[in-house]
Amino acid sequence: MIEQTSGDLHAALTAVGVGAQRIAALWWPSLWICTLVFCAVIAGLVLALTRRGRAQDGSTAAADDGDRRARLPIAAAVAVSVGLLVVLMALSVGADRALAKIDAAGAVEIEVIGHQWWWELRYRDPDPSRSFVTANELHLPAGRPVLLKLSAADVIHSFWLPTLAGKRDLIPGSPATLVLRVDTPGRHRGQCAEFCGLQHAHMGLLAIVETPAAWAAWAERQRRPAAPPGDARAARGLALVEQGSCAMCHNIEGTRANGVHGPDLSHLASRERLAAGTLANEAANLAAWITNPHRYKPGVTMPALTYPAADLDAIVAYLSELE
Amino acid sequence: MKRRLLLAGLLLSGCERDPWYLPASSARLANDGGSAVAMANPYTRDAQAIAEGKRLFRWYNCAGCHAAGGGGMGVALMDERWRYGADDRAIYASIVDGRPNGMPAFGARLSEDQAWRLAAYVRTMNGGPNLAVAPSRADDLRASEPEARREPRAASDD
Amino acid sequence: MKALASTPVRRNSVPPTPEDRALLDATWRDPPGFRGWCMAVNHKSIGRRFIITAFVFFAAGGLLAALMRWQLAVPDNHVLGPDTYNQIFTLHGSTMMFLFAVPVMQAVAVYLLPLTLGARAIAFPRMNAYAYWVYLFGGLLLFAGFVFDAGPDAGWFAYVPLSGPEYSPGKRVDYWAQLITFTELSALLEAIIIVTTVMKLRAPGMTLTRMPLYAWAMLVTACMVIFAMPAVMFASTALLLDRLVGTEFFNPGEDGEPLLWQHLFWFFGHPEVYLIFIPGLGFMSAIIATFARRPIVGYVPMVLSLVATGFLAFGLWVHHMFATTLPDAGKDIFTISSMLIAIPSAVQIFCWIATLWLGRLEFRTPLLFVLAFFVILVLGGLTGLQLASVPLDLQLHDTYFVVAHLHYVLIGGAVFPLFGACYYWFPKFTGRLLDERAGRWHFWLWFVGFNLSFFPMHLLGLDGMPRRVYTYPAEMGWGTLNLLATAGAVLLAAGVLVFGGNVLRSLRHGERAGPDPWRGGTLEWATESPPSPANFDALWVVHSAYPLWDPQPMARVSGLATSHREVLVTTPGVARPDTRVIFPDPSPWPLAAALATAVLFVGSIYTPWAVVWAMIPVAATLTAWFWPSARETAEHLDVERAP
């Protein structure tokens, strides 16, 4: 229907997830019924306006039998409208029940926490040591249901991946859940759908659906602590991260950086985008982001950090190793 | 006439404003790339920055020692006594360089801009001097009277 | 002041004499000069100011919309930063909803209702003046905040916690919350005035079943205002208390409930849509009847539909909250009620089409605007059915699809009929016709511009573009459709300019209208244009819904005082003459009381103590307003006793 210039799917009618498919299946009949009604009303209007054989003397008909003659057609039109409405209601309630019936047995459990202006993703496992944390990039196994537990850390956000499922609000103090199932691998893009302040526009979310084997391998990599620095420059970068401002907000598993307020960076280099979908994850962008994040996301909570060039270089080198 | 006034107003409002959401240091980055330490707190009259300072106070666990201002392991911040002076530069220096007897230096861990925001917030904890911009409440569990409703106290250097 | 004490009581005769006429004019005219301007209570003076003010706010809101379209025209645009953009979209929504859509409908009613009902004046004329001043000061406050960079930025819906004290520090949201209280106070007062006018001041013989459909629409609207506005006034006051004195209505950390805000807001917010749209239905009925040259088909179904819409409108607010957690039964109920409300609208649309089918059509500009309603509103109503469905809403909610839908409903359902009404009643208000050629330009610029601007937004929403974003990345592929929408906005702006030019030009050079340029059927056409201060030389007695189309001439009422502001009060049901009352003279106190109220509201943004000390001037001005003077009492006795 609409050209996709980006490789990541984001049109609600390009439904890939089971939830989105059930909604799209309701969209088309509802669109046809509404189009039919619209055409009928306009046709009626055009006929009424162009009818021939009426008195054209400009006089006023104070009393004629028009009301009586019009009674039957109006009643018929109302009856047809009511009939179509009942069909729409039945279809809608049926689709709503179908959405509620997506089976969550054996689901992967993911906690999604909305922050101003990024997504915290906590993959849960019955064995706590196998739980892990990431941000802004949701990896899902194809064919297996996913149970999302949604909550918000500050203001109301709304979780929406149009090609996978309908949206669900994240409301502080009222946890919600959403079941996803996607049967084919692919890449999907969504973003926060409830106005959440200055950078509501830059609160993107990437969902990557993979074959179960690829997903398991990805999850295994995410469970590992962060890779130790590979060379002296990276080691200096780690030291700067641990001793400087970074560690106040960010966590890097297996190091002394244990902040909890910003996205987890343990596997930053494995992610495709920076700053909730705002920038491509490249060394130059990372350096520019650290130096002045407000250039890309004015008002973001991360402060601008001025490092000497060599230090910045070391930090970027270290972060780029965190596969 | 009213229309003209309104139009003038709209034009005026379209003029360049001080973007509160951009840190002073980031604005300076855009200007000269340098980072001279500001001599006065740019945020004493900025409610947005003070609210962010309050968030930093929580995030960086200042409450661990100072509680919500009542003090504990660290000194109380909501009374009128300022051991090292009540002006913003003294508070800024306490945060950035630390003080004897346990106050750590946060200079390496906070950006200069964040330190000024935090200092501006700390100044509001004892009810002065800018009640109009002090936070009126936090949207979470309340531990004490909102800053905006605390009795202003005369500062005394202790 | 008039030297009333020395004026002997005089009563009008039928047919009216020139002396009656001169005396009536002198009695009902507002005093001259700036002082008189501040004291005005005549419903036509207040109505004119009210309408002009509302259109100025409309222009300001439109300018803000143009700025937004400029920013969104291309991806990654930096004309406006996020902070400015958020203020602008908040201000656009708040202005259009609170300062234009509801007030302009009440403003037109203030001018028109007494004329349509055949009355001398509107009920509670001083309260009417007070309501106008309160509205004006509230609107000025909002824009003053914007000019001084304290414009609210949490959206016109101001969801907590984003609008709460922690995430919106400063005074921005306080200004917004007090603006709501201001304008809703004004709207509530006007609603009381309108209900009273419709119920008690109709011409003798104008029973409820002979009342013009426009008056029915305003009666239903006013009743809805009385039930809807208190919810939002409470909500905005609770928000202000949360922000100023640390109450915890909406604080999730202290057992407050963010969802409570949404329920309160939408319990008002959804009826709000209908109370903008129902006066539009009234305009439709008035204009279609005149230009089809026959009564509207199905008077009783039309009235019942209006009333049914008014009731159902209160039962579907939760469809704004389908993306929150709701039980299944709740979702079903709100889906069904949201769809049911389509039925009364369908009944009215079918009745109008039947009227057009049976009538003898005259294609003048007012009728064109009314015909656009059928295309635009019907489309907006149908997308409304889709949004009423929970599963579809989960995809469409908070996307550009909703932006498209709400503009189709509100502009198609209210603004197009309102423009039609402007062309239709402008000759009544000013005595001169608007230019027909410019009117057609205006119409086509708006019709094409509107669809060009808002139709692409349906597609953008389906393509995943959320609302309220200040920019979007190029790789999403939303650029082309957004550029089209901006092009449409340019046409809309051009249309408004044509309309403004037409109004200014026609005020001086328009064709003279005479009392009844369209040969209408209702009472406002039975007096000269513009109407004299007392509206009618002698009140008419009516025997049908379109008295001017009756073959028999109407009777007139004699014996009402011409030397005093005496008004005939009729019974609510069958409009039999009930009693006569004397209406108050012009007074400066409504303006003074409104100023005192403004000081109270604005002061309370800065300190809760303002509520206490600003009570004193409010009480003083209200006391002065209502203080009975011995002279007036004596005169009222004179009129009662005079033969």
Side-chain angles (χ1 to χ4, degrees):
Chain A
M1 182 169 188
I2 298 154
E3 62 180 312
Q4 293 277 348
T5 46
S6 151
D8 308 329
L9 300 178
H10 54 72
L13 296 177
T14 319
V16 177
V18 174
Q21 283 170 345
R22 291 184 185 171
I23 296 175
L26 172 63
W27 164 262
W28 294 108
S30 99
L31 180 67
W32 289 123
I33 291 177
C34 291
T35 310
L36 182 78
V37 173
F38 182 72
C39 293
V41 171
I42 298 304
L45 179 70
V46 168
L47 285 178
L49 295 179
T50 55
R51 185 173 75 100
R52 289 174 192 287
R54 57 179 124 215
Q56 291 298 350
D57 55 357
S59 64
T60 303
D64 60 19
D65 62 346
D67 277 40
R68 202 176 44 76
R69 280 193 286 142
R71 205 177 290 160
L72 193 64
I74 291 176
V78 172
V80 172
S81 315
V82 172
L84 289 173
L85 269 183
V86 171
V87 173
L88 275 182
M89 285 173 195
L91 287 174
S92 164
V93 171
D96 188 43
R97 293 295 182 275
L99 280 185
K101 279 197 194 115
I102 300 175
D103 192 8
V108 179
E109 205 178 298
I110 308 171
E111 235 179 279
V112 178
I113 304 166
H115 293 262
Q116 278 182 329
W117 294 279
W118 58 282
W119 306 90
E120 180 179 351
L121 307 168
R122 301 180 156 266
Y123 283 70
R124 291 290 180 203
D125 195 284
D127 173 2
S129 70
R130 290 174 58 77
S131 297
F132 60 91
V133 183
T134 180
N136 299 329
E137 195 173 294
L138 190 61
H139 284 249
L140 306 171
R144 188 169 159 199
V146 176
L147 176 67
L148 299 175
K149 298 196 154 176
L150 308 169
S151 60
D154 34 47
V155 302
I156 301 178
H157 304 276
S158 190
F159 179 90
W160 189 36
L161 285 162
T163 43
L164 299 189
K167 62 182 70 63
R168 183 47 79 89
D169 286 354
L170 284 63
I171 299 172
S174 322
T177 58
L178 179 66
V179 181
L180 292 182
R181 206 186 80 214
V182 195
D183 293 332
T184 47
R187 298 160 49 85
H188 308 268
R189 195 187 184 284
Q191 68 186 92
C192 174
E194 182 60 81
F195 178 63
C196 57
L198 275 180
Q199 284 302 327
H200 168 56
H202 287 132
M203 188 168 162
L205 176 66
L206 187 64
I208 297 176
V209 185
E210 299 164 308
T211 59
W215 180 79
W218 170 82
E220 210 43 59
R221 283 198 299 280
Q222 299 288 317
R223 281 187 195 107
R224 277 189 224 135
D231 56 19
R233 193 168 60 136
R236 198 168 119 67
L238 170 60
L240 284 163
V241 165
E242 282 183 329
Q243 290 153 20
S245 319
C246 310
M248 296 302 280
C249 293
H250 294 285
N251 181 51
I252 299 176
E253 207 56 41
T255 72
R256 284 187 289 139
N258 296 121
V260 293
H261 306 296
D264 187 291
L265 301 181
S266 308
H267 303 279
L268 176 68
S270 75
R271 305 207 280 261
E272 291 182 21
R273 312 282 295 177
L274 293 172
T278 309
L279 294 169
N281 192 356
E282 293 157 6
N285 281 344
L286 187 54
W289 171 258
I290 293 171
T291 312
N292 188 5
H294 299 276
R295 196 176 138 203
Y296 306 98
K297 265 173 105 161
V300 71
T301 333
M302 174 147 161
L305 298 169
T306 38
Y307 286 104
D311 287 3
L312 183 64
D313 203 40
I315 292 173
V316 172
Y318 172 65
L319 293 176
S320 304
E321 284 181 5
L322 297 175
E323 286 283 350
Chain B
M1 183 60 198
K2 194 160 52 186
R3 190 190 293 265
R4 205 173 307 156
L5 271 178
L6 251 172
L7 211 66
L10 279 173
L11 287 176
L12 193 69
S13 56
C15 293
E16 196 168 339
R17 297 167 168 191
D18 210 15
W20 58 264
Y21 54 93
L22 291 185
S25 59
S26 146
R28 227 181 2 260
L29 275 176
N31 292 339
D32 54 26
S35 132
V37 173
M39 281 301 127
N41 194 336
Y43 296 126
T44 36
R45 304 208 65 82
D46 184 338
Q48 305 277 355
I50 289 171
E52 210 165 304
K54 180 169 177 165
R55 180 154 57 175
L56 293 170
F57 192 86
R58 196 170 70 230
W59 280 11
Y60 293 163
N61 201 26
C62 305
C65 296
H66 298 283
M73 193 190 299
V75 295
L77 299 174
M78 57 198 288
D79 60 8
E80 69 283 8
R81 292 164 57 222
W82 296 97
R83 197 166 291 179
Y84 302 102
D87 64 302
D88 284 34
R89 286 184 60 199
I91 297 171
Y92 177 86
S94 300
I95 295 169
V96 169
D97 302 329
R99 294 290 182 188
N101 301 324
M103 172 76 189
F106 282 87
R109 307 198 149 237
L110 282 169
S111 75
E112 179 199 318
D113 191 75
Q114 285 178 314
W116 281 122
R117 285 169 198 251
L118 197 44
Y121 168 64
V122 170
R123 279 295 294 282
T124 68
M125 293 182 78
N126 73 345
N130 298 314
L131 284 178
V133 290
S136 54
R137 197 195 77 193
D139 278 335
D140 48 29
L141 282 171
R142 183 179 56 178
S144 56
E145 190 86 343
E147 289 81 351
R149 287 198 293 152
R150 289 181 194 160
E151 281 296 310
R153 294 166 202 260
S156 73
D157 294 356
D158 188 47
Chain C
M1 292 293 288
K2 296 187 300 297
L4 268 183
S6 61
T7 318
V9 178
R10 302 277 292 277
R11 300 193 174 279
N12 80 327
S13 46
V14 171
T17 61
E19 299 87 77
D20 283 353
R21 170 64 194 274
L23 200 51
L24 268 174
D25 282 4
T27 306
W28 285 90
R29 181 170 288 133
D30 285 321
F34 175 72
R35 201 168 142 271
W37 188 82
C38 296
M39 292 166 64
V41 292
N42 192 301
H43 74 98
K44 291 181 292 298
S45 320
I46 300 294
R48 196 164 48 231
R49 280 174 212 176
F50 221 140
I51 294 172
I52 292 171
T53 312
F55 270 101
V56 170
F57 283 127
F58 175 66
L63 213 56
L64 297 171
L67 285 174
M68 286 193 280
R69 283 316 323 165
W70 186 11
Q71 161 73 9
L72 292 176
V74 290
D76 295 315
N77 202 358
H78 292 290
V79 177
L80 305 175
D83 183 48
T84 319
Y85 186 87
N86 290 351
Q87 287 186 60
I88 285 179
F89 91 71
T90 302
L91 209 58
H92 168 74
S94 306
T95 303
M96 289 307 194
M97 295 302 256
F98 296 109
L99 296 177
F100 171 64
V102 176
V104 81
M105 298 303 179
Q106 294 187 326
V108 173
V110 163
Y111 196 108
L112 202 60
L113 259 188
L115 293 164
T116 308
L117 298 173
R120 280 249 187 279
I122 200 155
F124 311 124
R126 285 185 182 179
M127 189 159 101
N128 188 33
Y130 173 74
Y132 167 72
W133 294 117
V134 167
Y135 156 74
L136 175 69
F137 296 147
L140 291 180
L141 167 77
L142 183 72
F143 275 87
F146 179 60
V147 169
F148 296 114
D149 201 14
D153 56 355
W156 85 279
F157 44 92
Y159 274 8
V160 286
L162 183 62
S163 64
E166 182 163 4
Y167 299 101
S168 289
K171 296 297 175 196
R172 295 176 161 195
V173 174
D174 300 313
Y175 273 93
W176 180 85
Q178 282 305 50
L179 160 90
I180 302 308
T181 315
F182 258 111
T183 49
E184 301 322 332
L185 172 62
S186 162
L188 267 176
L189 296 176
E190 286 298 349
I192 292 165
I193 290 167
I194 288 169
V195 170
T196 314
T197 307
V198 173
M199 282 316 206
K200 297 300 290 176
L201 297 181
R202 299 200 303 273
M206 187 185 280
T207 63
L208 281 181
T209 52
R210 291 174 190 161
M211 202 160 85
L213 286 167
Y214 169 67
W216 267 109
M218 287 318 300
L219 177 64
V220 171
T221 306
C223 290
M224 290 176 69
V225 168
I226 291 173
F227 285 96
M229 297 306 185
V232 75
M233 279 177 92
F234 167 69
S236 64
T237 306
L239 177 64
L240 198 75
L241 289 175
D242 265 17
R243 295 176 55 85
L244 292 179
V245 299
T247 54
E248 315 280 356
F249 286 100
F250 306 121
N251 181 358
E254 290 275 359
D255 282 349
E257 180 53 77
L259 277 176
L260 172 65
W261 169 266
Q262 299 190 15
H263 281 291
L264 286 170
F265 188 80
W266 292 117
F267 183 80
F268 140 84
H270 205 84
E272 160 105 341
V273 174
Y274 287 91
L275 58 90
I276 290 167
F277 161 71
I278 291 178
L281 302 180
F283 296 149
M284 295 280 296
S285 292
I287 295 171
I288 289 179
T290 297
F291 294 97
R293 313 227 56 75
R294 82 178 306 290
I296 297 288
V297 170
Y299 182 91
V300 175
M302 292 293 289
V303 170
L304 292 180
S305 297
L306 286 173
V307 176
T309 308
F311 274 104
L312 283 171
F314 283 91
L316 37 81
W317 78 93
V318 176
H319 75 215
H320 292 267
M321 300 163 60
F322 280 157
T324 64
T325 305
L326 292 169
D328 281 348
K331 287 192 283 192
D332 294 348
I333 287 172
F334 287 104
T335 294
I336 291 170
S337 61
S338 308
M339 289 193 178
L340 273 185
I341 202 162
I343 294 173
S345 304
V347 170
Q348 296 183 69
I349 288 170
F350 298 145
C351 287
W352 286 323
I353 291 182
T355 311
L356 292 168
W357 175 280
L358 293 165
R360 302 151 194 196
L361 302 180
E362 266 183 272
F363 285 97
R364 306 294 293 268
T365 311
L367 187 63
L368 286 183
F369 276 98
V370 155
L371 293 178
F373 170 98
F374 288 95
V375 180
I376 295 171
L377 179 101
V378 170
L379 213 156
L382 291 167
T383 53
L385 292 180
Q386 297 182 308
L387 290 168
S389 154
V390 175
L392 292 179
D393 185 70
L394 292 180
Q395 284 288 23
L396 303 174
H397 179 65
D398 272 337
T399 69
Y400 262 82
F401 191 92
V402 177
V403 179
H405 159 75
L406 77 93
H407 285 94
Y408 267 79
V409 171
L410 290 178
I411 296 190
V415 179
F416 271 91
L418 177 70
F419 276 131
C422 287
Y423 284 90
Y424 181 59
W425 279 301
F426 186 84
K428 179 49 63 186
F429 294 171
T430 64
R432 289 176 188 271
L433 288 157
L434 279 170
D435 186 60
E436 193 74 11
R437 224 170 93 91
R440 276 159 207 271
W441 270 99
H442 173 202
F443 171 76
W444 286 111
L445 281 170
W446 259 61
F447 188 74
V448 175
F450 175 82
N451 285 296
L452 188 60
S453 194
F454 292 100
F455 194 82
M457 292 185 189
H458 292 112
L459 307 178
L460 282 172
L462 288 169
D463 199 19
M465 181 166 169
R467 297 172 77 173
R468 300 155 187 154
V469 290
Y470 76 99
T471 187
Y472 52 92
E475 69 259 23
M476 299 305 277
W478 297 330
T480 319
L481 290 173
N482 269 301
L483 191 62
L484 270 185
T486 302
V490 172
L491 296 187
L492 289 174
V496 170
L497 288 180
V498 169
F499 175 66
N502 192 0
V503 167
L504 292 180
R505 194 173 175 284
S506 302
L507 278 176
R508 294 261 168 80
H509 310 290
E511 190 190 329
R512 291 215 178 263
D516 187 6
W518 314 114
R519 289 178 300 145
T522 41
L523 279 182
E524 73 268 28
W525 305 110
T527 182
E528 67 267 70
S529 312
S532 63
N535 290 351
F536 302 94
D537 298 346
L539 296 188
W540 298 101
V541 180
V542 302
H543 302 284
S544 75
Y546 299 90
L548 269 62
W549 291 347
D550 279 351
Q552 289 86 19
M554 291 182 284
R556 310 198 81 165
V557 177
S558 67
L560 224 49
T562 50
S563 53
H564 295 80
R565 297 184 170 231
E566 196 176 37
V567 166
L568 181 66
V569 176
T570 51
T571 56
V574 294
R576 254 197 305 275
D578 191 4
T579 178
R580 294 174 300 180
V581 295
I582 301 198
F583 267 29
D585 290 325
S587 156
W589 292 113
L591 172 59
L595 274 171
T597 315
V599 168
L600 189 154
F601 282 172
V602 178
S604 66
I605 293 177
Y606 290 91
T607 160
W609 286 102
V611 178
V612 178
W613 53 254
M615 269 302 177
I616 298 165
V618 171
T621 47
L622 288 180
T623 309
W625 172 346
F626 292 110
W627 200 261
S629 83
R631 188 176 58 81
E632 276 176 20
T633 316
E635 277 174 24
H636 292 186
L637 265 176
D638 278 354
V639 177
E640 269 180 51
R641 286 179 183 140

